[in-house]
Amino acid sequence: MTKRIFSGIKPTGHLTLGNYLGAVRQWVAADRAPDEALFCVVDLHALTVEHEPARVRRLSRQAATLLLAAGLSPEKCTLFVQSHVDEHTRLAYLMECTASDGELRRMIQYKEKAARAQATGEGVRLSLLTYPALMAADILAYGASEVPVGEDQRQHVELTRDLAVRFNQRYGHTFTVPKATLPTVAARVMDLQDPTSKMGKSHESGAGIVYLLDEPAVIAKKVMRAVTDSGDGAVVYDREARPGVANLLDVLAACSGGDPAVLADGYSGYGALKRDVADAVVELLRPLQERHAGLAADPGAVEKVLREGAERARALARPVVNRAYEAIGLLAP
Ligand code: AMP
Ligand code: TRP
């Protein structure tokens, strides 16, 4: 059986080094034939938290452009926008009829984001709770067997597996049961200013976040100011006791290869380590930034890729979702 790959990214902010090392780089390595690897800008997921319409639209286009700049090739994979393919929401409803309330409330991301929304008085959108049902639909609609994601999405992919198995048991074999694939290093890149929390797309200051389109001087400044651990200043790889240094070593290992614990032996102080990390990140992102400049100048070309991607995606998803509608007991139209 050929493997089919599906993954997605939310247009909720500018893409970060965490997105790149945790996910996008694996996608580029995995793109093969157009119907075997699908990558999606999951714009519907961006509506689960407070949002600005014009910004979501802009970020969706930018995310697609950056994915192409990162090296995804429209000849080899299918790149599209979630809301362009109705099958996602059609299947999401069946997933809501398969998942339980308790199961969704146990999701770590829901608990964290709901607590944050409540604290700021924003109110928690119902779609934040049902988010994993939509994510399961994204994956299952394509019969994907592998889902390359960062560590924070592991729980959602596990839930997707559970839902696929449950649906198949109840209504007959319909879905491929997928599995998450994580990078061996940098599956969870941490914020440079707060190495105990994930480098997310947004944080009040942004000082601990490297964005893919940051200028080289900005990248260097953010890395040089990274919070390292107090103590004797020794460079050792210990994620628990020295999360700041471990994060830098992870990033270095992800950029230039090697094992973070072994790389640590080559340094006697934080300054040299930071300089090497800064250089490695700047060099890693340089080709992407150059390609981005060219692609951004031709938005029509990106739109064409997305239009064609949506057509291909629709053709793959429709029969699977139609089968699921019949299996669950709905009368064929
Ligand atoms: P998101 O930005 O939440 O849509 O995430 C898109 C992809 O990037 C998902 O596969 C995430 O797991 C991955 N990702 C996001 N932030 C990080 C991070 N700090 N480290 C590693 N992977 C990440
Ligand atoms: N929830 C994922 C995230 O926050 C994005 C996503 C939506 C996704 N649907 C997906 C990832 C399907 C993989 C497969 O990063």
Side-chain angles (χ1 to χ4, degrees):
M1 206 180 74
T2 58
K3 56 180 180 187
R4 188 173 283 170
I5 295 161
F6 181 96
S7 200
I9 192 157
K10 292 191 302 282
T12 43
H14 298 288
L15 269 63
T16 71
L17 184 65
N19 292 132
Y20 185 74
L21 295 178
V24 175
R25 197 156 70 150
Q26 277 57 249
W27 303 359
V28 175
D31 72 346
R32 46 185 113 218
D35 63 344
E36 287 171 17
L38 298 107
F39 301 108
C40 187
V41 177
V42 289
D43 53 352
L44 297 171
H45 279 100
L47 310 183
T48 55
V49 289
E50 195 113 317
H51 78 286
E52 232 179 86
R55 183 161 190 266
V56 170
R57 212 171 286 126
R58 200 170 57 241
L59 289 172
S60 294
R61 199 173 290 126
Q62 192 195 61
T65 310
L66 274 169
L67 292 178
L68 292 170
L72 285 186
S73 142
E75 286 85 47
K76 287 203 281 174
C77 71
T78 297
L79 175 64
F80 69 106
V81 175
Q82 187 185 32
S83 65
H84 293 177
V85 180
D86 293 341
E87 270 49 49
H88 294 247
T89 48
R90 281 183 72 213
L91 185 56
Y93 182 71
L94 301 198
M95 290 298 115
E96 286 178 23
C97 298
T98 307
S100 74
D101 175 68
E103 208 162 35
L104 294 177
R105 284 183 202 283
R106 273 198 298 278
M107 293 293 113
I108 296 164
Q109 186 175 291
Y110 170 72
K111 288 198 273 194
E112 286 176 358
K113 289 193 177 174
R116 222 176 299 148
Q118 240 144 15
T120 57
E122 270 174 26
V124 180
R125 295 187 181 183
L126 180 58
S127 54
L128 188 65
L129 179 62
T130 58
Y131 176 126
L134 177 58
M135 176 161 165
D138 297 340
I139 297 166
L140 300 182
Y142 297 96
S145 51
E146 288 189 11
V147 186
V149 284
E151 169 65 39
D152 64 323
Q153 295 304 312
R154 191 200 287 269
Q155 195 187 30
H156 288 155
V157 181
E158 284 296 314
L159 177 68
T160 304
R161 286 175 67 86
D162 292 346
L163 297 180
V165 168
R166 191 176 308 155
F167 191 102
N168 287 347
Q169 276 168 352
R170 283 187 187 159
Y171 311 115
H173 184 82
T174 309
F175 296 122
T176 302
V177 179
K179 68 168 197 291
T181 52
L182 275 67
T184 46
V185 277
R188 188 173 176 83
V189 178
M190 309 307 272
D191 189 287
L192 297 175
Q193 288 298 315
D194 175 10
T196 57
S197 57
K198 184 187 81 162
M199 184 185 283
K201 291 202 193 84
S202 49
H203 201 277
E204 295 94 68
S205 82
I209 308 168
V210 173
Y211 292 105
L212 298 186
L213 293 179
D214 277 346
E215 304 261 341
V218 173
I219 295 174
K221 192 159 112 189
K222 287 177 176 174
V223 173
M224 294 311 290
R225 291 190 183 165
V227 167
T228 33
D229 316 285
S230 53
D232 53 9
V235 179
V236 285
Y237 185 70
D238 184 340
R239 275 195 152 234
E240 295 293 313
R242 297 173 191 253
V245 172
N247 190 38
L248 291 173
L249 288 164
D250 277 336
V251 169
L252 186 63
C255 291
S256 46
D259 177 85
V262 176
L263 285 171
D265 294 338
Y267 294 95
S268 53
Y270 297 154
L273 171 63
K274 286 178 174 178
R275 268 192 299 281
D276 283 359
V277 172
D279 288 348
V281 173
V282 166
E283 288 316 312
L284 181 78
L285 297 183
R286 192 186 298 282
L288 180 153
Q289 296 190 343
E290 283 168 5
R291 279 195 297 264
H292 179 266
L295 287 160
D298 189 1
V302 177
E303 268 165 38
K304 180 163 176 277
V305 167
L306 295 178
R307 223 177 14 252
E308 290 173 358
E311 256 170 59
R312 279 210 295 264
R314 231 175 267 131
L316 289 173
R318 186 155 300 162
V320 179
V321 178
N322 284 348
R323 264 203 310 282
Y325 265 58
E326 270 189 51
I328 207 169
L330 301 172
L331 202 55

mmCIF file of all heavy atoms in Angstrom, residues 2-7 27 30-40 72-80 142 144 305 308-317:
data_model
loop_
_atom_site.group_PDB
_atom_site.id
_atom_site.type_symbol
_atom_site.label_atom_id
_atom_site.label_comp_id
_atom_site.label_asym_id
_atom_site.label_seq_id
_atom_site.Cartn_x
_atom_site.Cartn_y
_atom_site.Cartn_z
ATOM 1 N N THR A 2 0.559 2.177 -0.878
ATOM 2 C CA THR A 2 1.361 3.407 -0.871
ATOM 3 C C THR A 2 0.951 4.233 0.345
ATOM 4 O O THR A 2 -0.198 4.212 0.760
ATOM 5 C CB THR A 2 1.106 4.267 -2.120
ATOM 6 O OG1 THR A 2 -0.277 4.579 -2.167
ATOM 7 C CG2 THR A 2 1.531 3.575 -3.384
ATOM 8 N N LYS A 3 1.933 4.970 0.895
ATOM 9 C CA LYS A 3 1.515 5.780 2.028
ATOM 10 C C LYS A 3 1.066 7.143 1.535
ATOM 11 O O LYS A 3 1.574 7.665 0.532
ATOM 12 C CB LYS A 3 2.603 5.883 3.084
ATOM 13 C CG LYS A 3 3.916 6.401 2.638
ATOM 14 C CD LYS A 3 4.839 6.427 3.848
ATOM 15 C CE LYS A 3 6.206 6.957 3.448
ATOM 16 N NZ LYS A 3 7.179 6.866 4.502
ATOM 17 N N ARG A 4 0.073 7.646 2.215
ATOM 18 C CA ARG A 4 -0.388 8.983 1.871
ATOM 19 C C ARG A 4 -0.154 9.887 3.084
ATOM 20 O O ARG A 4 -0.387 9.481 4.222
ATOM 21 C CB ARG A 4 -1.858 8.959 1.482
ATOM 22 C CG ARG A 4 -2.283 10.304 0.943
ATOM 23 C CD ARG A 4 -3.671 10.294 0.376
ATOM 24 N NE ARG A 4 -3.755 9.684 -0.942
ATOM 25 C CZ ARG A 4 -4.912 9.408 -1.531
ATOM 26 N NH1 ARG A 4 -6.047 9.661 -0.926
ATOM 27 N NH2 ARG A 4 -4.938 8.874 -2.735
ATOM 28 N N ILE A 5 0.343 11.084 2.783
ATOM 29 C CA ILE A 5 0.741 11.997 3.841
ATOM 30 C C ILE A 5 -0.180 13.204 3.840
ATOM 31 O O ILE A 5 -0.508 13.737 2.782
ATOM 32 C CB ILE A 5 2.200 12.439 3.585
ATOM 33 C CG1 ILE A 5 3.126 11.223 3.718
ATOM 34 C CG2 ILE A 5 2.640 13.551 4.532
ATOM 35 C CD1 ILE A 5 4.460 11.401 3.064
ATOM 36 N N PHE A 6 -0.617 13.603 5.024
ATOM 37 C CA PHE A 6 -1.410 14.836 5.120
ATOM 38 C C PHE A 6 -0.929 15.629 6.328
ATOM 39 O O PHE A 6 -0.669 15.071 7.392
ATOM 40 C CB PHE A 6 -2.908 14.517 5.318
ATOM 41 C CG PHE A 6 -3.750 15.769 5.389
ATOM 42 C CD1 PHE A 6 -4.391 16.256 4.256
ATOM 43 C CD2 PHE A 6 -3.876 16.484 6.578
ATOM 44 C CE1 PHE A 6 -5.135 17.435 4.302
ATOM 45 C CE2 PHE A 6 -4.609 17.668 6.633
ATOM 46 C CZ PHE A 6 -5.248 18.143 5.499
ATOM 47 N N SER A 7 -0.810 16.951 6.155
ATOM 48 C CA SER A 7 -0.590 17.793 7.330
ATOM 49 C C SER A 7 -1.097 19.198 7.055
ATOM 50 O O SER A 7 -1.417 19.546 5.914
ATOM 51 C CB SER A 7 0.881 17.798 7.741
ATOM 52 O OG SER A 7 0.980 18.226 9.095
ATOM 53 N N TRP A 27 7.761 18.049 5.703
ATOM 54 C CA TRP A 27 6.832 18.022 4.559
ATOM 55 C C TRP A 27 7.621 18.103 3.258
ATOM 56 O O TRP A 27 7.320 17.399 2.299
ATOM 57 C CB TRP A 27 5.855 19.196 4.603
ATOM 58 C CG TRP A 27 5.035 19.290 5.866
ATOM 59 C CD1 TRP A 27 5.064 18.448 6.949
ATOM 60 C CD2 TRP A 27 4.065 20.301 6.171
ATOM 61 N NE1 TRP A 27 4.180 18.886 7.890
ATOM 62 C CE2 TRP A 27 3.561 20.010 7.448
ATOM 63 C CE3 TRP A 27 3.596 21.425 5.486
ATOM 64 C CZ2 TRP A 27 2.587 20.809 8.053
ATOM 65 C CZ3 TRP A 27 2.631 22.204 6.083
ATOM 66 C CH2 TRP A 27 2.131 21.895 7.356
ATOM 67 N N ALA A 30 9.060 15.008 2.334
ATOM 68 C CA ALA A 30 8.095 13.941 2.047
ATOM 69 C C ALA A 30 7.303 14.160 0.774
ATOM 70 O O ALA A 30 6.555 13.286 0.371
ATOM 71 C CB ALA A 30 7.134 13.795 3.225
ATOM 72 N N ASP A 31 7.407 15.337 0.148
ATOM 73 C CA ASP A 31 6.514 15.543 -1.002
ATOM 74 C C ASP A 31 6.965 14.652 -2.159
ATOM 75 O O ASP A 31 8.122 14.521 -2.459
ATOM 76 C CB ASP A 31 6.359 17.034 -1.382
ATOM 77 C CG ASP A 31 7.588 17.648 -2.041
ATOM 78 O OD1 ASP A 31 8.661 17.011 -1.966
ATOM 79 O OD2 ASP A 31 7.467 18.739 -2.607
ATOM 80 N N ARG A 32 6.002 13.959 -2.726
ATOM 81 C CA ARG A 32 6.377 13.013 -3.800
ATOM 82 C C ARG A 32 5.427 13.114 -4.983
ATOM 83 O O ARG A 32 5.672 13.866 -5.904
ATOM 84 C CB ARG A 32 6.498 11.597 -3.266
ATOM 85 C CG ARG A 32 5.358 11.211 -2.379
ATOM 86 C CD ARG A 32 5.537 9.868 -1.752
ATOM 87 N NE ARG A 32 5.721 10.002 -0.320
ATOM 88 C CZ ARG A 32 6.526 9.286 0.377
ATOM 89 N NH1 ARG A 32 7.271 8.384 -0.198
ATOM 90 N NH2 ARG A 32 6.599 9.439 1.666
ATOM 91 N N ALA A 33 4.303 12.385 -4.972
ATOM 92 C CA ALA A 33 3.378 12.505 -6.111
ATOM 93 C C ALA A 33 2.185 13.329 -5.652
ATOM 94 O O ALA A 33 1.844 13.305 -4.478
ATOM 95 C CB ALA A 33 2.938 11.122 -6.543
ATOM 96 N N PRO A 34 1.551 14.046 -6.577
ATOM 97 C CA PRO A 34 0.491 14.969 -6.153
ATOM 98 C C PRO A 34 -0.617 14.326 -5.339
ATOM 99 O O PRO A 34 -1.214 14.973 -4.505
ATOM 100 C CB PRO A 34 -0.057 15.533 -7.470
ATOM 101 C CG PRO A 34 0.826 15.076 -8.544
ATOM 102 C CD PRO A 34 1.817 14.110 -8.004
ATOM 103 N N ASP A 35 -0.901 13.049 -5.586
ATOM 104 C CA ASP A 35 -1.997 12.468 -4.811
ATOM 105 C C ASP A 35 -1.505 11.694 -3.595
ATOM 106 O O ASP A 35 -2.246 11.013 -2.931
ATOM 107 C CB ASP A 35 -2.886 11.589 -5.701
ATOM 108 C CG ASP A 35 -2.115 10.403 -6.251
ATOM 109 O OD1 ASP A 35 -0.867 10.426 -6.194
ATOM 110 O OD2 ASP A 35 -2.755 9.456 -6.726
ATOM 111 N N GLU A 36 -0.233 11.800 -3.299
ATOM 112 C CA GLU A 36 0.280 11.065 -2.140
ATOM 113 C C GLU A 36 0.654 11.955 -0.973
ATOM 114 O O GLU A 36 0.803 11.492 0.139
ATOM 115 C CB GLU A 36 1.497 10.230 -2.542
ATOM 116 C CG GLU A 36 1.107 9.037 -3.374
ATOM 117 C CD GLU A 36 2.307 8.334 -3.952
ATOM 118 O OE1 GLU A 36 3.424 8.557 -3.463
ATOM 119 O OE2 GLU A 36 2.120 7.581 -4.915
ATOM 120 N N ALA A 37 0.858 13.239 -1.229
ATOM 121 C CA ALA A 37 1.211 14.156 -0.140
ATOM 122 C C ALA A 37 0.363 15.405 -0.264
ATOM 123 O O ALA A 37 0.370 16.070 -1.301
ATOM 124 C CB ALA A 37 2.694 14.501 -0.203
ATOM 125 N N LEU A 38 -0.394 15.683 0.778
ATOM 126 C CA LEU A 38 -1.282 16.851 0.762
ATOM 127 C C LEU A 38 -0.949 17.761 1.936
ATOM 128 O O LEU A 38 -0.816 17.293 3.071
ATOM 129 C CB LEU A 38 -2.739 16.409 0.863
ATOM 130 C CG LEU A 38 -3.237 15.541 -0.297
ATOM 131 C CD1 LEU A 38 -3.394 14.095 0.142
ATOM 132 C CD2 LEU A 38 -4.567 16.080 -0.819
ATOM 133 N N PHE A 39 -0.821 19.036 1.646
ATOM 134 C CA PHE A 39 -0.517 20.006 2.697
ATOM 135 C C PHE A 39 -1.526 21.141 2.611
ATOM 136 O O PHE A 39 -1.843 21.625 1.517
ATOM 137 C CB PHE A 39 0.923 20.488 2.560
ATOM 138 C CG PHE A 39 1.895 19.349 2.644
ATOM 139 C CD1 PHE A 39 2.578 18.902 1.523
ATOM 140 C CD2 PHE A 39 2.074 18.668 3.845
ATOM 141 C CE1 PHE A 39 3.432 17.811 1.588
ATOM 142 C CE2 PHE A 39 2.924 17.576 3.921
ATOM 143 C CZ PHE A 39 3.613 17.150 2.791
ATOM 144 N N CYS A 40 -2.010 21.528 3.771
ATOM 145 C CA CYS A 40 -3.210 22.356 3.796
ATOM 146 C C CYS A 40 -3.033 23.557 4.730
ATOM 147 O O CYS A 40 -2.539 23.407 5.848
ATOM 148 C CB CYS A 40 -4.328 21.442 4.315
ATOM 149 S SG CYS A 40 -5.955 22.141 4.270
ATOM 150 N N LEU A 72 8.147 23.184 -1.042
ATOM 151 C CA LEU A 72 7.073 22.302 -1.512
ATOM 152 C C LEU A 72 6.861 22.576 -2.994
ATOM 153 O O LEU A 72 6.817 23.732 -3.414
ATOM 154 C CB LEU A 72 5.770 22.568 -0.760
ATOM 155 C CG LEU A 72 5.667 22.058 0.676
ATOM 156 C CD1 LEU A 72 4.265 22.295 1.195
ATOM 157 C CD2 LEU A 72 6.037 20.585 0.783
ATOM 158 N N SER A 73 6.707 21.505 -3.745
ATOM 159 C CA SER A 73 6.564 21.692 -5.176
ATOM 160 C C SER A 73 5.159 21.282 -5.613
ATOM 161 O O SER A 73 4.709 20.169 -5.322
ATOM 162 C CB SER A 73 7.641 20.854 -5.883
ATOM 163 O OG SER A 73 7.114 20.294 -7.040
ATOM 164 N N PRO A 74 4.433 22.171 -6.293
ATOM 165 C CA PRO A 74 3.056 21.850 -6.702
ATOM 166 C C PRO A 74 2.987 20.699 -7.698
ATOM 167 O O PRO A 74 1.935 20.110 -7.879
ATOM 168 C CB PRO A 74 2.542 23.155 -7.328
ATOM 169 C CG PRO A 74 3.675 24.110 -7.366
ATOM 170 C CD PRO A 74 4.854 23.523 -6.676
ATOM 171 N N GLU A 75 4.115 20.360 -8.303
ATOM 172 C CA GLU A 75 4.108 19.191 -9.203
ATOM 173 C C GLU A 75 4.143 17.908 -8.389
ATOM 174 O O GLU A 75 3.702 16.868 -8.826
ATOM 175 C CB GLU A 75 5.319 19.179 -10.148
ATOM 176 C CG GLU A 75 5.253 20.187 -11.274
ATOM 177 C CD GLU A 75 5.770 21.542 -10.841
ATOM 178 O OE1 GLU A 75 6.850 21.594 -10.223
ATOM 179 O OE2 GLU A 75 5.086 22.559 -11.093
ATOM 180 N N LYS A 76 4.739 18.020 -7.197
ATOM 181 C CA LYS A 76 4.920 16.792 -6.422
ATOM 182 C C LYS A 76 3.938 16.626 -5.278
ATOM 183 O O LYS A 76 3.775 15.528 -4.750
ATOM 184 C CB LYS A 76 6.363 16.734 -5.891
ATOM 185 C CG LYS A 76 7.360 16.427 -7.002
ATOM 186 C CD LYS A 76 8.637 15.836 -6.458
ATOM 187 C CE LYS A 76 9.535 16.904 -5.883
ATOM 188 N NZ LYS A 76 10.705 16.439 -5.214
ATOM 189 N N CYS A 77 3.312 17.719 -4.841
ATOM 190 C CA CYS A 77 2.354 17.560 -3.751
ATOM 191 C C CYS A 77 1.130 18.426 -4.017
ATOM 192 O O CYS A 77 1.117 19.233 -4.945
ATOM 193 C CB CYS A 77 2.990 17.938 -2.411
ATOM 194 S SG CYS A 77 3.276 19.697 -2.224
ATOM 195 N N THR A 78 0.109 18.224 -3.211
ATOM 196 C CA THR A 78 -1.114 19.013 -3.358
ATOM 197 C C THR A 78 -1.165 20.030 -2.216
ATOM 198 O O THR A 78 -1.219 19.648 -1.051
ATOM 199 C CB THR A 78 -2.339 18.076 -3.325
ATOM 200 O OG1 THR A 78 -2.247 17.206 -4.455
ATOM 201 C CG2 THR A 78 -3.633 18.856 -3.389
ATOM 202 N N LEU A 79 -1.107 21.284 -2.588
ATOM 203 C CA LEU A 79 -1.135 22.364 -1.586
ATOM 204 C C LEU A 79 -2.445 23.108 -1.759
ATOM 205 O O LEU A 79 -2.786 23.533 -2.868
ATOM 206 C CB LEU A 79 0.060 23.298 -1.826
ATOM 207 C CG LEU A 79 0.129 24.551 -0.955
ATOM 208 C CD1 LEU A 79 0.298 24.195 0.515
ATOM 209 C CD2 LEU A 79 1.310 25.442 -1.396
ATOM 210 N N PHE A 80 -3.202 23.262 -0.689
ATOM 211 C CA PHE A 80 -4.520 23.897 -0.828
ATOM 212 C C PHE A 80 -4.978 24.512 0.483
ATOM 213 O O PHE A 80 -4.329 24.370 1.520
ATOM 214 C CB PHE A 80 -5.538 22.878 -1.349
ATOM 215 C CG PHE A 80 -5.877 21.781 -0.360
ATOM 216 C CD1 PHE A 80 -7.100 21.778 0.303
ATOM 217 C CD2 PHE A 80 -4.983 20.758 -0.089
ATOM 218 C CE1 PHE A 80 -7.415 20.770 1.220
ATOM 219 C CE2 PHE A 80 -5.291 19.757 0.830
ATOM 220 C CZ PHE A 80 -6.509 19.764 1.474
ATOM 221 N N TYR A 142 -8.742 12.007 3.480
ATOM 222 C CA TYR A 142 -7.787 11.684 2.418
ATOM 223 C C TYR A 142 -7.192 10.280 2.573
ATOM 224 O O TYR A 142 -6.287 9.912 1.840
ATOM 225 C CB TYR A 142 -6.674 12.747 2.378
ATOM 226 C CG TYR A 142 -7.275 14.097 2.039
ATOM 227 C CD1 TYR A 142 -7.612 14.997 3.047
ATOM 228 C CD2 TYR A 142 -7.583 14.413 0.731
ATOM 229 C CE1 TYR A 142 -8.232 16.204 2.757
ATOM 230 C CE2 TYR A 142 -8.206 15.613 0.419
ATOM 231 C CZ TYR A 142 -8.527 16.493 1.444
ATOM 232 O OH TYR A 142 -9.163 17.670 1.133
ATOM 233 N N ALA A 144 -5.198 9.412 4.785
ATOM 234 C CA ALA A 144 -3.772 9.595 5.076
ATOM 235 C C ALA A 144 -3.291 8.542 6.069
ATOM 236 O O ALA A 144 -3.985 8.220 7.030
ATOM 237 C CB ALA A 144 -3.529 10.996 5.641
ATOM 238 N N VAL A 305 -1.853 27.886 -7.889
ATOM 239 C CA VAL A 305 -1.448 26.644 -7.221
ATOM 240 C C VAL A 305 -2.548 26.197 -6.260
ATOM 241 O O VAL A 305 -2.933 25.018 -6.214
ATOM 242 C CB VAL A 305 -0.119 26.845 -6.448
ATOM 243 C CG1 VAL A 305 0.157 25.682 -5.505
ATOM 244 C CG2 VAL A 305 1.046 27.046 -7.417
ATOM 245 N N GLU A 308 -5.718 24.875 -8.124
ATOM 246 C CA GLU A 308 -5.519 23.530 -8.677
ATOM 247 C C GLU A 308 -5.399 22.486 -7.559
ATOM 248 O O GLU A 308 -5.875 21.366 -7.696
ATOM 249 C CB GLU A 308 -4.275 23.518 -9.573
ATOM 250 C CG GLU A 308 -4.518 24.319 -10.846
ATOM 251 C CD GLU A 308 -3.276 24.495 -11.717
ATOM 252 O OE1 GLU A 308 -2.171 24.021 -11.329
ATOM 253 O OE2 GLU A 308 -3.425 25.122 -12.781
ATOM 254 N N GLY A 309 -4.760 22.913 -6.466
ATOM 255 C CA GLY A 309 -4.626 22.002 -5.317
ATOM 256 C C GLY A 309 -5.994 21.631 -4.765
ATOM 257 O O GLY A 309 -6.269 20.465 -4.470
ATOM 258 N N ALA A 310 -6.873 22.615 -4.650
ATOM 259 C CA ALA A 310 -8.208 22.359 -4.094
ATOM 260 C C ALA A 310 -8.987 21.395 -4.985
ATOM 261 O O ALA A 310 -9.704 20.520 -4.499
ATOM 262 C CB ALA A 310 -8.967 23.672 -3.924
ATOM 263 N N GLU A 311 -8.822 21.536 -6.297
ATOM 264 C CA GLU A 311 -9.524 20.622 -7.214
ATOM 265 C C GLU A 311 -9.069 19.178 -7.004
ATOM 266 O O GLU A 311 -9.877 18.266 -6.917
ATOM 267 C CB GLU A 311 -9.215 21.018 -8.654
ATOM 268 C CG GLU A 311 -10.363 21.742 -9.332
ATOM 269 C CD GLU A 311 -9.915 22.333 -10.653
ATOM 270 O OE1 GLU A 311 -9.453 21.574 -11.530
ATOM 271 O OE2 GLU A 311 -10.007 23.577 -10.786
ATOM 272 N N ARG A 312 -7.755 19.023 -6.929
ATOM 273 C CA ARG A 312 -7.222 17.661 -6.721
ATOM 274 C C ARG A 312 -7.687 17.100 -5.382
ATOM 275 O O ARG A 312 -8.071 15.937 -5.268
ATOM 276 C CB ARG A 312 -5.691 17.699 -6.748
ATOM 277 C CG ARG A 312 -5.089 17.712 -8.141
ATOM 278 C CD ARG A 312 -3.723 17.035 -8.138
ATOM 279 N NE ARG A 312 -2.728 17.755 -7.351
ATOM 280 C CZ ARG A 312 -1.851 18.621 -7.856
ATOM 281 N NH1 ARG A 312 -1.861 18.875 -9.147
ATOM 282 N NH2 ARG A 312 -0.968 19.213 -7.083
ATOM 283 N N ALA A 313 -7.620 17.960 -4.349
ATOM 284 C CA ALA A 313 -7.984 17.516 -3.002
ATOM 285 C C ALA A 313 -9.458 17.090 -2.968
ATOM 286 O O ALA A 313 -9.802 16.034 -2.426
ATOM 287 C CB ALA A 313 -7.734 18.638 -1.992
ATOM 288 N N ARG A 314 -10.310 17.885 -3.575
ATOM 289 C CA ARG A 314 -11.742 17.580 -3.620
ATOM 290 C C ARG A 314 -11.990 16.207 -4.246
ATOM 291 O O ARG A 314 -12.758 15.397 -3.736
ATOM 292 C CB ARG A 314 -12.428 18.648 -4.478
ATOM 293 C CG ARG A 314 -13.614 19.292 -3.814
ATOM 294 C CD ARG A 314 -14.151 20.420 -4.680
ATOM 295 N NE ARG A 314 -13.590 21.713 -4.324
ATOM 296 C CZ ARG A 314 -13.076 22.584 -5.186
ATOM 297 N NH1 ARG A 314 -13.021 22.335 -6.489
ATOM 298 N NH2 ARG A 314 -12.590 23.725 -4.749
ATOM 299 N N ALA A 315 -11.303 15.965 -5.347
ATOM 300 C CA ALA A 315 -11.517 14.699 -6.060
ATOM 301 C C ALA A 315 -11.098 13.506 -5.207
ATOM 302 O O ALA A 315 -11.686 12.427 -5.300
ATOM 303 C CB ALA A 315 -10.739 14.711 -7.375
ATOM 304 N N LEU A 316 -10.092 13.704 -4.352
ATOM 305 C CA LEU A 316 -9.658 12.602 -3.492
ATOM 306 C C LEU A 316 -10.604 12.429 -2.314
ATOM 307 O O LEU A 316 -10.917 11.312 -1.903
ATOM 308 C CB LEU A 316 -8.245 12.874 -2.957
ATOM 309 C CG LEU A 316 -7.099 12.791 -3.965
ATOM 310 C CD1 LEU A 316 -5.805 13.251 -3.315
ATOM 311 C CD2 LEU A 316 -6.938 11.365 -4.482
ATOM 312 N N ALA A 317 -11.059 13.539 -1.739
ATOM 313 C CA ALA A 317 -11.830 13.464 -0.490
ATOM 314 C C ALA A 317 -13.282 13.061 -0.722
ATOM 315 O O ALA A 317 -13.877 12.356 0.096
ATOM 316 C CB ALA A 317 -11.770 14.807 0.234
#
